[in-house]
Amino acid sequence: MVSTERAKTPRAKKPPRTKPPRDGRMSLGAHLVELRKRLFLAAISVVVGMIVGWILSDYVLEALRLPIEELAAEQGRVASLNFTDVSSAFDLRLQIAFTVGVVVSSPFWLYQLWAFMVPGMKKKEKQYAVGFVAAAVPLFLAGCAAGWFVLPHMVVLLTGFAPQDTTAIISARVYYDFVLKLVLAIGIAFVLPVFLVLLNFAGVLSARAILKSWRIAILAITLFTALATPAADVMSMFLLAIPMVLLYFGAAGIAALNDRRRAKRLAAIESELDV
């Protein structure tokens, strides 16, 4: 007797779901998707910050005009910002809005960058990164404040080379670029000691090597502050140089403590191996 029942065909099994690895590793495609997501969120935060920067652009322009007014009062000459073409005023406000937007939104886009880098970091690397950001941000802001402090002196000094009975008609766009570069340069200079500490923690630079170059470092700091402040204003030069020198020796002190801790750890490991 032949059975009329049809043979049951086995159903295709669904492929098992792949769980993300426990060690935090991701595929290249997942990395690209994560990067696109983080960049999109960072761009949104910058755009929102630019709206705030556009609202504050009037106050920023008023602050930028103060050194020009001081120049006119001190040198007794006509001095004013000049907008060279029809769209230059709008372009300058847009540039100010972008700069303020990047600064205002920096906590958010820095967090996005941090969140993207964290899965690929080891525990010790995460600690180094957190310490670097925690120290670099306040120092950078302090350096920018110091740059803003010496800005009026720079404007008066550089325009003082013009002949008497002349008019200082300063391009607004060029002037803003000058201010931005000066403030950023001094802000970055204040962060350089943090890089020395980071190189020491990474085992690239020792505290002895940092202290050995203290004469060159002080000479470089003196030359930098002499360029950033007028020669006649020695007080401003010292007010800018003293914190930079202290930061340099502070970095050397932290590096020395780390070298001592590292030496004790190596000595303990060697004593255990000798037993």
Side-chain angles (χ1 to χ4, degrees):
M1 184 176 178
V2 180
S3 174
T4 58
E5 296 181 357
R6 296 181 179 179
K8 296 182 179 180
T9 57
R11 296 181 179 178
K13 295 182 179 180
K14 296 181 179 180
R17 296 181 179 179
T18 57
K19 296 181 179 180
R22 295 181 178 180
D23 57 357
R25 296 181 180 178
M26 300 170 63
S27 63
L28 178 60
H31 271 295
L32 293 176
V33 172
E34 182 71 12
L35 178 61
R36 183 179 63 181
K37 173 187 174 183
R38 298 296 179 183
L39 289 178
F40 177 76
L41 293 175
I44 292 297
S45 68
V46 172
V47 171
V48 174
M50 286 183 64
I51 297 174
V52 178
W54 183 270
I55 298 173
L56 297 177
S57 59
D58 287 332
Y59 301 98
V60 176
L61 282 172
E62 187 63 28
L64 291 174
R65 286 179 54 191
L66 293 178
I68 307 297
E69 295 176 357
E70 183 177 343
L71 160 66
E74 185 169 335
Q75 297 183 1
R77 70 173 72 202
V78 178
S80 62
L81 288 178
N82 184 33
F83 296 93
T84 56
D85 49 55
V86 177
S87 63
S88 60
F90 174 79
D91 294 339
L92 180 60
R93 285 182 179 270
L94 196 62
Q95 191 175 0
I96 292 174
F98 178 75
T99 305
V100 175
V102 171
V103 174
V104 170
S105 62
S106 58
F108 189 82
W109 59 260
L110 283 174
Y111 169 77
Q112 297 300 326
L113 179 63
W114 168 254
F116 176 74
M117 296 175 60
V118 159
M121 288 185 176
K122 298 179 181 179
K123 184 177 180 180
K124 183 175 292 187
E125 293 174 343
K126 293 179 183 178
Q127 293 175 353
Y128 289 168
V130 170
F132 174 78
V133 173
V137 172
L139 288 176
F140 177 75
L141 295 177
C144 290
W148 184 260
F149 171 76
V150 301
L151 171 64
H153 305 282
M154 286 292 296
V155 173
V156 173
L157 171 69
L158 295 177
T159 55
F161 290 100
Q164 293 292 331
D165 300 327
T166 57
T167 302
I169 301 177
I170 303 171
S171 173
R173 187 181 302 176
V174 175
Y175 176 66
Y176 181 75
D177 290 338
F178 167 76
V179 173
L180 187 62
K181 290 175 182 177
L182 175 66
V183 171
L184 289 180
I186 299 180
I188 294 173
F190 271 56
V191 180
L192 289 179
V194 184
F195 281 101
L196 294 178
V197 175
L198 191 63
L199 291 174
N200 174 262
F201 274 65
V204 178
L205 195 63
S206 65
R208 181 174 296 179
I210 297 175
L211 289 174
K212 189 177 180 180
S213 305
W214 69 270
R215 295 181 180 86
I216 299 176
I218 292 179
L219 178 61
I221 291 172
T222 305
L223 291 175
F224 176 79
T225 54
L227 293 174
T229 55
D233 194 357
V234 182
M235 183 59 66
S236 298
M237 174 181 169
F238 277 106
L239 288 177
L240 187 59
I242 289 174
M244 294 181 67
V245 172
L246 292 178
L247 288 173
Y248 176 81
F249 283 105
I254 296 175
L257 293 176
N258 182 59
D259 288 347
R260 185 179 302 175
R261 180 179 57 84
R262 185 181 298 164
K264 289 182 179 179
R265 185 172 65 249
L266 290 176
I269 294 175
E270 290 178 357
S271 62
E272 290 179 359
L273 292 176
D274 293 339
V275 175

